Amino acid sequence: DPYIQAPLNLSGVLWIGTANEVADIPDVLRDRFRVLEFEEPSGDDLEPLAQTLMAEIVGERGMRPEWALPLSGEELDALSEVWHGGSVRALRRFLEGVMNARESRTLDKTN
């Protein structure tokens, strides 16, 4: 290895790469990978994805798990109007909005 200036055996190293578009990876690099393609999430995946992401958000905020589950039918209906599949990051942003609305309603009830 030129950096550490010593011989190095990297035969046991596993390299993992991710890309949104395989076509953007140069052929000489792509030939060295086994390409696994995954379908984008669809609207049918909304409920299980939303439940998992909501639990993560609650954990990150240090809240009790009861805040995460379950999402109400009204919340799921609203989410299905704005998220039809695709970006999980976008779904997470919508769920953060749901959480903010829940917190706001709780604050309104206590004041």
Side-chain angles (χ1 to χ4, degrees):
D1 181 90
Y3 181 75
I4 62 171
Q5 298 180 3
L8 210 53
N9 178 358
L10 298 177
S11 63
V13 174
L14 174 66
W15 298 94
I16 298 175
T18 63
N20 290 333
E21 293 292 330
V22 176
D24 294 340
I25 302 171
D27 291 338
V28 295
L29 181 58
R30 191 173 55 236
D31 288 346
R32 289 169 171 77
F33 282 95
R34 180 183 332 159
V35 176
L36 305 173
E37 294 188 36
F38 297 89
E39 290 183 27
E40 278 192 350
S42 71
D44 293 337
D45 302 311
L46 172 64
E47 191 167 354
L49 275 174
Q51 301 291 15
T52 300
L53 291 170
M54 195 64 147
E56 286 178 12
I57 293 166
V58 166
E60 289 167 7
R61 293 185 181 194
M63 303 171 112
R64 296 174 53 97
E66 297 85 47
W67 271 84
L69 303 170
L71 286 163
S72 73
E74 183 179 273
E75 291 167 334
L76 285 170
D77 289 345
L79 287 167
S80 69
E81 287 182 26
V82 295
W83 190 83
H84 307 287
S87 172
V88 176
R89 287 184 193 109
L91 176 57
R92 183 182 167 95
R93 284 191 300 273
F94 293 134
L95 286 164
E96 287 170 347
V98 168
M99 180 57 71
N100 293 340
R102 284 182 176 186
E103 289 173 336
S104 183
R105 278 183 287 184
T106 301
L107 289 174
D108 288 344
K109 289 180 184 178
T110 59
N111 291 329

